[in-house]
Amino acid sequence: MDTTAWLVVAAVAALITLVLAAVLLVRVFKARKLLVDSGIPLRSKALVWAAVIYTVSPVDLLPDPVYLDDIGFLLVALRSLHSAASAAGVRTGQRAEAPTDTPVEMKTL
Protein backbone atom coordinates (compact mmCIF):
# COMPACT_ATOMS: atom_id res chain seq x y z
CA MET A 1 0.00 0.00 0.00
CA ASP A 2 1.16 3.48 -0.69
CA THR A 3 1.32 6.38 1.74
CA THR A 4 -2.07 7.79 0.76
CA ALA A 5 -3.85 4.54 1.58
CA TRP A 6 -2.18 4.37 5.00
CA LEU A 7 -3.20 7.96 5.71
CA VAL A 8 -6.81 7.18 4.81
CA VAL A 9 -6.81 4.09 7.05
CA ALA A 10 -5.29 6.10 9.91
CA ALA A 11 -7.83 8.91 9.43
CA VAL A 12 -10.75 6.47 9.47
CA ALA A 13 -9.38 4.75 12.60
CA ALA A 14 -8.92 8.13 14.31
CA LEU A 15 -12.45 9.19 13.35
CA ILE A 16 -13.95 5.97 14.72
CA THR A 17 -11.99 6.38 17.96
CA LEU A 18 -13.12 10.00 18.25
CA VAL A 19 -16.78 9.05 17.77
CA LEU A 20 -16.55 6.28 20.36
CA ALA A 21 -14.86 8.63 22.82
CA ALA A 22 -17.58 11.26 22.31
CA VAL A 23 -20.34 8.69 22.88
CA LEU A 24 -18.62 7.50 26.04
CA LEU A 25 -18.20 11.06 27.29
CA VAL A 26 -21.92 11.66 26.91
CA ARG A 27 -22.68 8.40 28.73
CA VAL A 28 -20.30 9.33 31.58
CA PHE A 29 -22.02 12.70 32.04
CA LYS A 30 -25.43 10.99 32.05
CA ALA A 31 -24.13 8.51 34.64
CA ARG A 32 -23.23 11.35 37.02
CA LYS A 33 -26.72 11.26 38.50
CA LEU A 34 -26.37 7.56 39.27
CA LEU A 35 -23.07 8.13 41.05
CA VAL A 36 -24.72 10.21 43.76
CA ASP A 37 -27.73 7.90 44.19
CA SER A 38 -27.62 6.12 47.53
CA GLY A 39 -29.30 2.95 46.27
CA ILE A 40 -26.35 1.92 44.12
CA PRO A 41 -23.54 -0.11 45.71
CA LEU A 42 -20.22 1.59 46.35
CA ARG A 43 -18.42 -1.09 44.31
CA SER A 44 -20.15 0.00 41.10
CA LYS A 45 -19.49 3.66 41.79
CA ALA A 46 -15.82 2.99 42.53
CA LEU A 47 -15.48 0.98 39.33
CA VAL A 48 -16.64 3.97 37.28
CA TRP A 49 -14.20 6.32 39.00
CA ALA A 50 -11.37 3.79 38.58
CA ALA A 51 -12.14 3.56 34.85
CA VAL A 52 -12.11 7.36 34.52
CA ILE A 53 -8.78 7.57 36.37
CA TYR A 54 -7.34 4.79 34.19
CA THR A 55 -8.46 6.65 31.08
CA VAL A 56 -6.64 9.85 31.99
CA SER A 57 -3.58 8.17 33.51
CA PRO A 58 -0.40 7.79 31.47
CA VAL A 59 -0.08 4.10 32.44
CA ASP A 60 -1.85 1.88 29.89
CA LEU A 61 -1.99 -1.76 28.86
CA LEU A 62 -1.77 -0.67 25.22
CA PRO A 63 0.23 2.30 23.93
CA ASP A 64 -1.55 5.68 24.09
CA PRO A 65 -2.37 6.09 20.39
CA VAL A 66 -4.57 2.99 20.76
CA TYR A 67 -7.48 3.85 23.08
CA LEU A 68 -9.24 0.48 22.86
CA ASP A 69 -8.31 -0.52 26.40
CA ASP A 70 -9.49 2.82 27.81
CA ILE A 71 -12.78 2.62 25.92
CA GLY A 72 -13.23 -1.00 26.98
CA PHE A 73 -12.74 -0.22 30.67
CA LEU A 74 -15.18 2.68 30.49
CA LEU A 75 -17.78 0.52 28.74
CA VAL A 76 -17.49 -2.22 31.35
CA ALA A 77 -17.74 0.30 34.19
CA LEU A 78 -20.79 2.03 32.69
CA ARG A 79 -22.54 -1.27 32.02
CA SER A 80 -21.84 -2.34 35.59
CA LEU A 81 -23.25 0.94 36.91
CA HIS A 82 -26.34 0.63 34.71
CA SER A 83 -27.03 -2.96 35.80
CA ALA A 84 -26.49 -2.06 39.48
CA ALA A 85 -28.93 0.83 39.10
CA SER A 86 -31.48 -1.45 37.46
CA ALA A 87 -31.07 -4.02 40.24
CA ALA A 88 -31.50 -1.28 42.86
CA GLY A 89 -34.69 -0.12 41.19
CA VAL A 90 -33.33 3.22 40.05
CA ARG A 91 -34.87 4.41 36.80
CA THR A 92 -32.21 4.99 34.16
CA GLY A 93 -32.58 6.63 30.80
CA GLN A 94 -36.10 7.86 31.48
CA ARG A 95 -37.36 11.18 32.68
CA ALA A 96 -39.14 11.21 35.98
CA GLU A 97 -42.77 12.06 35.42
CA ALA A 98 -45.50 12.83 37.88
CA PRO A 99 -47.82 9.89 38.44
CA THR A 100 -51.07 10.30 36.55
CA ASP A 101 -53.19 7.80 38.47
CA THR A 102 -53.33 9.81 41.72
CA PRO A 103 -56.17 12.30 42.03
CA VAL A 104 -55.29 15.93 42.43
CA GLU A 105 -57.14 17.75 45.19
CA MET A 106 -58.12 21.34 44.68
CA LYS A 107 -58.10 23.44 47.82
CA THR A 108 -60.24 26.50 48.08
CA LEU A 109 -59.48 29.44 50.27
Side-chain angles (χ1 to χ4, degrees):
M1 289 210 303
D2 61 343
T3 307
T4 306
W6 281 112
L7 287 175
V8 169
V9 169
V12 168
L15 183 63
I16 290 171
T17 302
L18 182 65
V19 168
L20 283 174
V23 168
L24 279 176
L25 185 63
V26 168
R27 288 183 69 184
V28 165
F29 279 118
K30 285 182 179 180
R32 245 183 352 179
K33 178 182 158 198
L34 295 177
L35 291 174
V36 296
D37 194 344
S38 62
I40 298 175
L42 181 62
R43 180 183 62 85
S44 297
K45 294 177 186 180
L47 183 61
V48 171
W49 287 116
V52 169
I53 290 170
Y54 177 79
T55 300
V56 297
S57 75
V59 178
D60 279 337
L61 293 176
L62 298 175
D64 254 348
V66 182
Y67 292 110
L68 293 177
D69 59 334
D70 300 329
I71 291 171
F73 283 135
L74 278 174
L75 280 174
V76 168
L78 289 174
R79 284 185 185 257
S80 171
L81 182 66
H82 182 72
S83 64
S86 296
V90 176
R91 296 175 68 183
T92 59
Q94 300 173 351
R95 292 181 182 241
E97 297 178 3
T100 57
D101 58 341
T102 58
V104 177
E105 295 181 19
M106 306 236 354
K107 294 184 179 183
T108 58
L109 295 175

XYZ file of all heavy atoms in Angstrom:
813
model
N 0.841 -1.177 0.000
C 0.000 0.000 0.000
C 0.890 1.245 0.000
O 1.924 1.269 0.642
C -0.897 0.016 1.235
C -1.978 -1.031 1.169
S -3.533 -0.757 1.974
C -3.327 -0.447 3.629
N 0.397 2.247 -0.657
C 1.160 3.482 -0.690
C 0.808 4.371 0.511
O -0.050 4.035 1.316
C 0.940 4.221 -2.011
C -0.517 4.616 -2.221
O -1.381 4.041 -1.532
O -0.771 5.489 -3.069
N 1.466 5.491 0.590
C 1.318 6.382 1.740
C -0.097 6.943 1.851
O -0.627 7.087 2.960
C 2.326 7.538 1.629
O 3.625 6.991 1.441
C 2.307 8.397 2.864
N -0.715 7.229 0.739
C -2.070 7.795 0.764
C -3.066 6.814 1.370
O -3.931 7.198 2.159
C -2.512 8.176 -0.667
O -1.531 9.027 -1.246
C -3.853 8.876 -0.659
N -2.943 5.557 1.033
C -3.845 4.542 1.581
C -3.670 4.415 3.092
O -4.655 4.291 3.831
C -3.604 3.208 0.896
N -2.428 4.456 3.557
C -2.184 4.372 5.003
C -2.749 5.593 5.721
O -3.272 5.486 6.836
C -0.698 4.230 5.294
C -0.189 2.840 5.084
C 0.675 2.433 4.125
C -0.544 1.686 5.830
N 0.888 1.097 4.226
C 0.154 0.602 5.267
C -1.378 1.453 6.917
C 0.037 -0.688 5.762
C -1.487 0.154 7.398
C -0.786 -0.889 6.833
N -2.645 6.751 5.105
C -3.202 7.957 5.711
C -4.727 7.883 5.804
O -5.325 8.302 6.801
C -2.785 9.199 4.931
C -1.325 9.624 5.078
C -1.006 10.793 4.155
C -1.026 9.999 6.520
N -5.353 7.336 4.780
C -6.808 7.177 4.806
C -7.215 6.193 5.895
O -8.156 6.442 6.657
C -7.330 6.734 3.416
C -8.785 6.305 3.485
C -7.142 7.844 2.406
N -6.513 5.083 6.015
C -6.808 4.088 7.055
C -6.615 4.709 8.437
O -7.442 4.516 9.341
C -5.925 2.832 6.876
C -6.013 1.918 8.080
C -6.315 2.096 5.606
N -5.549 5.457 8.623
C -5.292 6.101 9.912
C -6.364 7.147 10.218
O -6.814 7.264 11.367
C -3.907 6.737 9.913
N -6.790 7.899 9.219
C -7.827 8.911 9.433
C -9.155 8.266 9.802
O -9.867 8.750 10.690
C -7.978 9.778 8.188
N -9.510 7.177 9.153
C -10.748 6.470 9.468
C -10.683 5.896 10.883
O -11.642 5.994 11.659
C -11.039 5.371 8.425
C -12.150 4.448 8.873
C -11.380 6.001 7.086
N -9.543 5.302 11.251
C -9.384 4.754 12.601
C -9.466 5.862 13.646
O -10.101 5.695 14.698
C -8.054 4.014 12.717
N -8.856 7.009 13.367
C -8.920 8.130 14.308
C -10.340 8.669 14.424
O -10.793 9.003 15.523
C -7.966 9.237 13.856
N -11.067 8.711 13.324
C -12.452 9.187 13.350
C -13.345 8.248 14.146
O -14.167 8.687 14.949
C -12.975 9.349 11.924
C -14.373 9.911 11.791
C -14.420 11.328 12.339
C -14.822 9.875 10.350
N -13.172 6.950 13.969
C -13.952 5.967 14.724
C -13.647 6.081 16.215
O -14.551 6.062 17.056
C -13.685 4.545 14.201
C -14.307 4.383 12.817
C -14.233 3.489 15.149
C -13.932 3.096 12.124
N -12.380 6.227 16.558
C -11.993 6.379 17.958
C -12.574 7.655 18.549
O -13.054 7.663 19.678
C -10.460 6.397 18.087
O -9.935 5.189 17.530
C -10.034 6.514 19.526
N -12.571 8.732 17.784
C -13.125 10.002 18.255
C -14.629 9.900 18.494
O -15.140 10.386 19.502
C -12.819 11.107 17.251
C -13.292 12.509 17.615
C -12.552 12.996 18.856
C -13.070 13.451 16.463
N -15.337 9.225 17.607
C -16.782 9.054 17.769
C -17.078 8.201 19.001
O -17.961 8.536 19.805
C -17.404 8.440 16.496
C -18.827 7.974 16.732
C -17.353 9.438 15.361
N -16.354 7.112 19.178
C -16.545 6.277 20.360
C -16.248 7.044 21.643
O -16.970 6.910 22.634
C -15.668 5.024 20.277
C -16.159 3.926 19.355
C -15.114 2.820 19.253
C -17.474 3.374 19.827
N -15.201 7.841 21.629
C -14.863 8.634 22.816
C -15.949 9.663 23.112
O -16.295 9.890 24.277
C -13.515 9.311 22.619
N -16.517 10.276 22.094
C -17.582 11.255 22.306
C -18.830 10.594 22.876
O -19.468 11.126 23.791
C -17.907 11.966 20.995
N -19.178 9.424 22.362
C -20.340 8.689 22.878
C -20.117 8.317 24.336
O -21.011 8.464 25.180
C -20.617 7.440 22.017
C -21.610 6.518 22.678
C -21.111 7.860 20.642
N -18.925 7.859 24.658
C -18.620 7.498 26.043
C -18.643 8.718 26.955
O -19.092 8.630 28.096
C -17.263 6.815 26.126
C -17.276 5.350 25.767
C -15.866 4.799 25.777
C -18.142 4.577 26.717
N -18.175 9.851 26.476
C -18.198 11.060 27.288
C -19.630 11.457 27.618
O -19.934 11.808 28.761
C -17.486 12.195 26.555
C -17.325 13.498 27.317
C -16.449 13.279 28.550
C -16.731 14.557 26.419
N -20.512 11.351 26.661
C -21.919 11.656 26.905
C -22.497 10.684 27.922
O -23.217 11.068 28.847
C -22.713 11.625 25.581
C -24.204 11.653 25.826
C -22.295 12.787 24.699
N -22.173 9.395 27.795
C -22.679 8.400 28.733
C -22.131 8.626 30.140
O -22.836 8.403 31.129
C -22.338 6.993 28.247
C -23.165 6.595 27.039
C -22.878 5.210 26.605
N -23.386 4.274 27.601
C -23.210 2.965 27.518
N -22.550 2.438 26.518
N -23.694 2.181 28.450
N -20.880 9.063 30.253
C -20.305 9.331 31.576
C -21.026 10.508 32.231
O -21.349 10.467 33.423
C -18.782 9.591 31.467
C -18.233 10.212 32.736
C -18.050 8.296 31.161
N -21.309 11.559 31.464
C -22.025 12.696 32.039
C -23.452 12.322 32.430
O -23.969 12.811 33.429
C -22.030 13.884 31.080
C -20.753 14.666 31.123
C -19.964 14.776 30.000
C -20.338 15.281 32.284
C -18.785 15.490 30.033
C -19.154 15.989 32.339
C -18.377 16.098 31.198
N -24.091 11.443 31.674
C -25.431 10.989 32.047
C -25.374 10.106 33.292
O -26.326 10.055 34.065
C -26.078 10.217 30.900
C -26.552 11.098 29.780
C -27.235 10.275 28.706
C -27.744 11.152 27.592
N -28.400 10.361 26.541
N -24.277 9.404 33.493
C -24.132 8.514 34.643
C -23.831 9.269 35.928
O -23.883 8.690 37.007
C -23.030 7.491 34.380
N -23.527 10.559 35.823
C -23.233 11.353 37.017
C -24.343 11.282 38.050
O -24.092 11.192 39.241
C -23.043 12.815 36.614
C -21.699 13.346 36.821
C -21.593 14.786 36.485
N -22.786 15.334 35.840
C -22.909 16.574 35.473
N -21.939 17.403 35.692
N -24.006 17.017 34.884
N -25.579 11.314 37.591
C -26.722 11.264 38.500
C -26.739 9.950 39.271
O -27.064 9.910 40.457
C -28.017 11.430 37.705
C -29.257 11.349 38.536
C -30.483 11.471 37.658
C -31.660 10.865 38.374
N -32.752 10.555 37.504
N -26.379 8.865 38.602
C -26.367 7.564 39.268
C -25.257 7.463 40.303
O -25.366 6.702 41.260
C -26.214 6.446 38.234
C -27.361 6.287 37.244
C -27.019 5.197 36.237
C -28.655 5.974 37.947
N -24.189 8.208 40.110
C -23.071 8.125 41.046
C -23.395 8.737 42.406
O -22.756 8.409 43.392
C -21.834 8.802 40.451
C -21.216 8.073 39.266
C -20.093 8.909 38.675
C -20.713 6.710 39.672
N -24.366 9.617 42.470
C -24.724 10.208 43.756
C -25.939 9.523 44.374
O -26.306 9.841 45.500
C -24.995 11.723 43.623
C -23.743 12.445 43.203
C -26.128 12.009 42.683
N -26.563 8.600 43.672
C -27.734 7.904 44.191
C -27.291 6.936 45.293
O -26.332 6.202 45.148
C -28.437 7.146 43.073
C -29.818 6.694 43.480
O -30.106 6.692 44.689
O -30.609 6.338 42.599
N -28.015 6.937 46.395
C -27.618 6.120 47.534
C -28.007 4.652 47.383
O -27.521 3.814 48.119
C -28.237 6.677 48.813
O -29.655 6.629 48.717
N -28.867 4.331 46.428
C -29.303 2.950 46.270
C -28.338 2.077 45.489
O -28.524 0.869 45.401
N -27.305 2.663 44.939
C -26.352 1.915 44.116
C -25.137 1.554 44.967
O -24.614 2.386 45.700
C -25.945 2.746 42.893
C -27.193 3.022 42.051
C -24.898 2.037 42.074
C -26.972 3.928 40.895
N -24.677 0.304 44.876
C -23.538 -0.113 45.710
C -22.263 0.686 45.419
O -22.032 1.118 44.285
C -23.338 -1.583 45.341
C -24.468 -1.984 44.491
C -25.183 -0.774 44.049
N -21.460 0.846 46.452
C -20.215 1.589 46.346
C -19.256 0.941 45.346
O -18.504 1.629 44.665
C -19.561 1.698 47.727
C -18.254 2.462 47.796
C -18.456 3.913 47.376
C -17.672 2.394 49.182
N -19.312 -0.383 45.223
C -18.416 -1.091 44.310
C -18.617 -0.621 42.868
O -17.653 -0.380 42.144
C -18.659 -2.598 44.399
C -17.778 -3.423 43.491
C -18.111 -4.894 43.569
N -19.461 -5.197 43.135
C -19.811 -5.394 41.847
N -18.903 -5.310 40.924
N -21.047 -5.682 41.535
N -19.864 -0.448 42.464
C -20.152 -0.004 41.097
C -19.707 1.435 40.886
O -19.188 1.794 39.830
C -21.636 -0.137 40.798
O -22.024 -1.491 40.855
N -19.915 2.273 41.900
C -19.486 3.661 41.795
C -17.957 3.755 41.716
O -17.415 4.527 40.925
C -19.985 4.462 42.987
C -21.480 4.598 43.044
C -21.878 5.345 44.306
C -23.372 5.387 44.491
N -23.751 6.112 45.701
N -17.282 2.970 42.527
C -15.822 2.986 42.534
C -15.254 2.472 41.217
O -14.223 2.970 40.743
C -15.292 2.156 43.702
N -15.934 1.500 40.605
C -15.478 0.976 39.325
C -15.519 2.058 38.246
O -14.607 2.152 37.420
C -16.328 -0.225 38.912
C -15.936 -0.940 37.629
C -14.537 -1.505 37.741
C -16.928 -2.036 37.323
N -16.546 2.889 38.258
C -16.637 3.975 37.280
C -15.504 4.973 37.492
O -14.840 5.376 36.533
C -18.003 4.677 37.365
C -18.017 5.939 36.519
C -19.110 3.747 36.937
N -15.269 5.360 38.736
C -14.195 6.319 38.999
C -12.826 5.723 38.675
O -11.940 6.427 38.185
C -14.247 6.814 40.431
C -15.382 7.759 40.640
C -16.464 7.581 41.445
C -15.575 9.019 40.007
N -17.320 8.646 41.352
C -16.799 9.551 40.471
C -14.850 9.759 39.075
C -17.287 10.775 40.044
C -15.340 10.986 38.654
C -16.538 11.476 39.143
N -12.641 4.437 38.932
C -11.370 3.790 38.581
C -11.175 3.776 37.063
O -10.057 3.996 36.576
C -11.341 2.370 39.131
N -12.248 3.550 36.315
C -12.143 3.559 34.853
C -11.813 4.958 34.330
O -11.028 5.108 33.394
C -13.438 3.046 34.229
N -12.409 5.978 34.937
C -12.109 7.359 34.521
C -10.652 7.694 34.830
O -9.947 8.280 34.003
C -13.070 8.355 35.204
C -12.613 9.790 35.011
C -14.483 8.171 34.684
N -10.182 7.309 36.001
C -8.782 7.570 36.371
C -7.834 6.813 35.445
O -6.820 7.354 35.005
C -8.541 7.202 37.856
C -9.264 8.205 38.742
C -7.057 7.161 38.174
C -9.295 7.814 40.206
N -8.177 5.561 35.109
C -7.341 4.786 34.189
C -7.293 5.453 32.817
O -6.247 5.467 32.162
C -7.875 3.358 34.054
C -7.084 2.538 33.067
C -5.868 1.985 33.419
C -7.545 2.342 31.772
C -5.132 1.254 32.512
C -6.827 1.616 30.864
C -5.619 1.072 31.230
O -4.894 0.353 30.323
N -8.414 6.022 32.397
C -8.465 6.646 31.081
C -7.545 7.855 30.995
O -6.890 8.065 29.968
C -9.914 7.063 30.752
O -10.730 5.897 30.776
C -10.013 7.712 29.396
N -7.475 8.651 32.040
C -6.640 9.855 31.990
C -5.211 9.599 32.461
O -4.350 10.471 32.287
C -7.267 11.005 32.809
C -8.603 11.398 32.226
C -7.378 10.655 34.268
N -4.935 8.440 33.020
C -3.577 8.173 33.514
C -2.642 7.835 32.352
O -3.061 7.311 31.327
C -3.593 7.020 34.520
O -3.764 5.801 33.851
N -1.362 8.105 32.534
C -0.398 7.785 31.474
C -0.034 6.294 31.412
O 0.559 5.855 30.441
C 0.820 8.638 31.827
C 0.709 8.862 33.291
C -0.756 8.868 33.617
N -0.396 5.529 32.419
C -0.082 4.104 32.438
C -1.204 3.349 31.723
O -2.366 3.457 32.090
C 0.057 3.598 33.892
C 0.326 2.106 33.917
C 1.140 4.360 34.623
N -0.865 2.601 30.688
C -1.849 1.876 29.893
C -1.371 0.468 29.599
O -0.169 0.180 29.612
C -2.087 2.578 28.557
C -3.030 3.749 28.659
O -3.819 3.781 29.609
O -2.979 4.614 27.777
N -2.338 -0.418 29.317
C -1.994 -1.759 28.861
C -1.532 -1.726 27.414
O -0.641 -2.473 27.021
C -3.205 -2.691 28.987
C -3.661 -3.003 30.411
C -4.922 -3.862 30.375
C -2.569 -3.713 31.177
N -2.156 -0.872 26.621
C -1.770 -0.667 25.223
C -1.195 0.732 25.090
O -1.525 1.623 25.866
C -2.993 -0.821 24.314
C -3.669 -2.200 24.327
C -4.933 -2.170 23.486
C -2.733 -3.268 23.810
N -0.352 0.962 24.099
C 0.225 2.303 23.930
C -0.863 3.360 23.739
O -1.957 3.074 23.266
C 1.073 2.175 22.665
C 1.260 0.726 22.454
C 0.152 0.011 23.131
N -0.558 4.609 24.092
C -1.550 5.677 24.092
C -2.228 5.965 22.756
O -3.388 6.343 22.755
C -0.950 6.961 24.645
C -1.465 7.248 26.040
O -2.426 6.589 26.449
O -0.908 8.128 26.700
N -1.599 5.833 21.610
C -2.367 6.095 20.385
C -3.530 5.115 20.176
O -4.454 5.404 19.449
C -1.343 5.944 19.266
C -0.038 6.197 19.912
C -0.178 5.684 21.315
N -3.493 3.976 20.862
C -4.572 2.989 20.763
C -5.406 3.095 22.035
O -4.974 2.717 23.111
C -4.007 1.559 20.626
C -5.126 0.550 20.479
C -3.054 1.482 19.454
N -6.635 3.613 21.905
C -7.479 3.850 23.079
C -8.487 2.730 23.313
O -9.455 2.913 24.040
C -8.223 5.180 22.934
C -7.299 6.366 22.991
C -7.062 7.127 21.865
C -6.668 6.708 24.175
C -6.207 8.215 21.920
C -5.822 7.787 24.242
C -5.592 8.541 23.106
O -4.753 9.608 23.159
N -8.268 1.571 22.713
C -9.237 0.485 22.860
C -9.338 -0.014 24.292
O -10.425 -0.350 24.754
C -8.878 -0.668 21.919
C -9.015 -0.362 20.425
C -8.569 -1.558 19.609
C -10.427 0.034 20.082
N -8.245 -0.071 25.013
C -8.308 -0.522 26.402
C -9.036 0.497 27.273
O -9.845 0.127 28.128
C -6.913 -0.823 26.953
C -5.973 0.379 26.903
O -6.179 1.261 26.036
O -5.039 0.439 27.713
N -8.795 1.781 27.049
C -9.486 2.825 27.812
C -10.992 2.774 27.553
O -11.799 2.814 28.489
C -8.958 4.205 27.437
C -7.479 4.366 27.717
O -6.996 3.733 28.681
O -6.809 5.105 26.990
N -11.363 2.681 26.290
C -12.777 2.621 25.923
C -13.417 1.362 26.488
O -14.539 1.386 26.996
C -12.927 2.702 24.394
C -12.551 4.101 23.911
C -14.338 2.359 23.954
C -12.459 4.239 22.406
N -12.708 0.266 26.444
C -13.234 -0.998 26.978
C -13.494 -0.924 28.474
O -14.537 -1.368 28.957
N -12.551 -0.344 29.227
C -12.739 -0.222 30.669
C -13.913 0.698 31.002
O -14.689 0.432 31.914
C -11.470 0.283 31.358
C -10.406 -0.774 31.517
C -9.095 -0.501 31.214
C -10.734 -2.042 31.970
C -8.116 -1.470 31.353
C -9.762 -3.012 32.116
C -8.450 -2.731 31.793
N -14.043 1.788 30.255
C -15.180 2.682 30.490
C -16.506 1.999 30.169
O -17.485 2.153 30.898
C -15.028 3.958 29.663
C -14.142 5.030 30.253
C -13.960 6.172 29.269
C -14.695 5.548 31.554
N -16.546 1.238 29.085
C -17.780 0.524 28.735
C -18.172 -0.485 29.808
O -19.336 -0.581 30.193
C -17.629 -0.175 27.392
C -17.809 0.692 26.161
C -17.478 -0.097 24.903
C -19.217 1.212 26.084
N -17.202 -1.235 30.300
C -17.486 -2.220 31.353
C -17.979 -1.520 32.616
O -18.945 -1.964 33.247
C -16.234 -3.082 31.643
C -16.395 -3.896 32.905
C -15.944 -3.998 30.472
N -17.342 -0.421 32.979
C -17.743 0.304 34.188
C -19.149 0.889 34.041
O -19.955 0.803 34.970
C -16.740 1.407 34.485
N -19.459 1.459 32.887
C -20.788 2.030 32.689
C -21.866 0.959 32.636
O -22.969 1.145 33.158
C -20.806 2.887 31.426
C -20.029 4.195 31.531
C -19.974 4.894 30.184
C -20.638 5.107 32.580
N -21.569 -0.168 32.021
C -22.539 -1.270 32.016
C -22.764 -1.808 33.423
O -23.880 -2.141 33.799
C -22.074 -2.393 31.093
C -22.258 -2.079 29.641
C -21.900 -3.281 28.789
N -21.977 -2.935 27.405
C -22.993 -3.287 26.629
N -23.979 -3.982 27.127
N -23.010 -2.944 25.366
N -21.710 -1.894 34.211
C -21.837 -2.340 35.591
C -22.689 -1.365 36.402
O -23.548 -1.779 37.185
C -20.454 -2.485 36.217
O -20.559 -2.711 37.594
N -22.467 -0.076 36.207
C -23.250 0.935 36.905
C -24.716 0.872 36.493
O -25.610 0.938 37.333
C -22.679 2.326 36.633
C -23.368 3.487 37.336
C -23.158 3.389 38.841
C -22.842 4.804 36.810
N -24.966 0.702 35.208
C -26.337 0.626 34.714
C -27.057 -0.610 35.260
O -28.208 -0.530 35.687
C -26.351 0.616 33.187
C -27.711 0.598 32.605
N -28.541 1.684 32.638
C -28.403 -0.387 31.999
C -29.688 1.374 32.058
N -29.627 0.127 31.658
N -26.385 -1.754 35.281
C -27.028 -2.964 35.796
C -27.230 -2.876 37.308
O -28.242 -3.358 37.826
C -26.220 -4.209 35.430
O -24.960 -4.181 36.046
N -26.300 -2.242 38.032
C -26.486 -2.064 39.477
C -27.648 -1.123 39.754
O -28.416 -1.329 40.702
C -25.207 -1.527 40.111
N -27.805 -0.094 38.922
C -28.926 0.828 39.099
C -30.242 0.130 38.797
O -31.237 0.335 39.499
C -28.750 2.043 38.193
N -30.258 -0.707 37.779
C -31.483 -1.454 37.462
C -31.835 -2.424 38.581
O -32.998 -2.568 38.941
C -31.304 -2.215 36.156
O -31.133 -1.316 35.089
N -30.829 -3.084 39.145
C -31.070 -4.020 40.240
C -31.539 -3.297 41.504
O -32.324 -3.846 42.277
C -29.797 -4.809 40.542
N -31.094 -2.059 41.690
C -31.496 -1.284 42.860
C -32.850 -0.609 42.662
O -33.377 0.009 43.576
C -30.435 -0.233 43.190
N -33.389 -0.710 41.459
C -34.690 -0.122 41.194
C -34.640 1.338 40.802
O -35.661 2.011 40.790
N -33.464 1.830 40.468
C -33.327 3.221 40.048
C -33.660 3.293 38.562
O -33.177 2.490 37.772
C -31.884 3.727 40.291
C -31.706 5.139 39.780
C -31.547 3.628 41.755
N -34.494 4.255 38.197
C -34.870 4.407 36.795
C -33.729 5.071 36.047
O -33.262 6.128 36.428
C -36.131 5.235 36.677
C -37.313 4.551 37.315
C -38.514 5.414 37.301
N -38.964 5.569 35.914
C -39.968 6.322 35.560
N -40.623 7.018 36.465
N -40.335 6.419 34.299
N -33.293 4.439 34.967
C -32.212 4.993 34.162
C -32.704 5.243 32.752
O -33.459 4.454 32.204
C -31.016 4.029 34.107
O -31.463 2.793 33.550
C -30.428 3.791 35.475
N -32.261 6.332 32.184
C -32.580 6.632 30.801
C -33.993 7.125 30.569
O -34.415 7.257 29.445
N -34.741 7.378 31.630
C -36.103 7.864 31.484
C -36.258 9.103 32.344
O -35.669 9.208 33.413
C -37.106 6.808 31.925
C -37.026 5.529 31.128
C -37.924 4.455 31.723
O -38.459 4.632 32.800
N -38.055 3.364 31.027
N -37.079 9.986 31.885
C -37.356 11.181 32.679
C -38.374 10.845 33.750
O -39.295 10.094 33.515
C -37.893 12.292 31.795
C -36.868 12.814 30.853
C -37.466 13.923 30.042
N -36.481 14.393 29.098
C -36.031 15.619 29.076
N -36.478 16.499 29.909
N -35.138 15.975 28.207
N -38.184 11.425 34.901
C -39.139 11.213 35.982
C -40.385 12.038 35.696
O -40.311 13.239 35.467
C -38.530 11.628 37.315
N -41.519 11.375 35.687
C -42.770 12.056 35.418
C -43.669 11.932 36.628
O -43.583 10.979 37.392
C -43.463 11.448 34.202
C -42.656 11.604 32.922
C -43.348 10.960 31.745
O -44.476 10.450 31.924
O -42.776 10.974 30.657
N -44.553 12.871 36.780
C -45.502 12.831 37.877
C -46.503 11.714 37.616
O -46.925 11.500 36.487
C -46.229 14.163 37.987
N -46.851 10.958 38.647
C -47.822 9.886 38.435
C -49.164 10.453 38.026
O -49.622 11.451 38.567
C -47.888 9.181 39.793
C -47.268 10.117 40.769
C -46.380 11.042 40.004
N -49.807 9.790 37.063
C -51.075 10.303 36.549
C -52.276 9.612 37.166
O -53.394 10.060 36.992
C -51.140 10.111 35.027
O -50.959 8.726 34.739
C -50.067 10.944 34.336
N -52.061 8.532 37.922
C -53.190 7.803 38.472
C -53.625 8.318 39.837
O -54.631 7.859 40.376
C -52.876 6.305 38.559
C -51.644 6.027 39.401
O -50.850 6.959 39.611
O -51.481 4.877 39.838
N -52.934 9.275 40.426
C -53.328 9.812 41.719
C -54.206 11.041 41.509
O -53.892 11.898 40.689
C -52.100 10.192 42.568
O -51.330 11.131 41.847
C -51.277 8.964 42.902
N -55.303 11.142 42.223
C -56.170 12.297 42.035
C -55.536 13.554 42.627
O -54.831 13.525 43.621
C -57.441 11.911 42.780
C -57.009 10.890 43.786
C -55.831 10.177 43.171
N -55.790 14.648 41.974
C -55.286 15.933 42.433
C -56.414 16.639 43.163
O -57.515 16.799 42.645
C -54.807 16.780 41.229
C -54.346 18.153 41.701
C -53.725 16.056 40.487
N -56.134 17.061 44.385
C -57.143 17.752 45.186
C -57.000 19.245 45.002
O -55.907 19.782 45.045
C -56.984 17.396 46.661
C -57.240 15.946 46.959
C -57.092 15.663 48.439
O -57.145 16.616 49.239
O -56.911 14.504 48.785
N -58.106 19.888 44.824
C -58.117 21.343 44.682
C -58.567 21.930 46.012
O -59.599 21.561 46.529
C -59.045 21.777 43.566
C -58.728 21.094 42.272
S -58.393 22.080 40.834
C -58.671 23.715 41.160
N -57.757 22.798 46.550
C -58.096 23.441 47.817
C -58.638 24.837 47.536
O -58.086 25.560 46.719
C -56.870 23.521 48.719
C -56.389 22.171 49.153
C -55.255 22.301 50.113
C -54.800 20.926 50.551
N -53.744 20.991 51.528
N -59.679 25.167 48.218
C -60.242 26.503 48.076
C -59.934 27.307 49.330
O -59.855 26.777 50.434
C -61.773 26.440 47.879
O -62.336 25.773 48.994
C -62.103 25.722 46.588
N -59.777 28.564 49.155
C -59.485 29.436 50.274
C -60.721 29.964 50.909
O -61.727 30.223 50.500
C -58.575 30.589 49.861
C -57.188 30.160 49.419
C -56.432 31.364 48.917
C -56.454 29.508 50.560
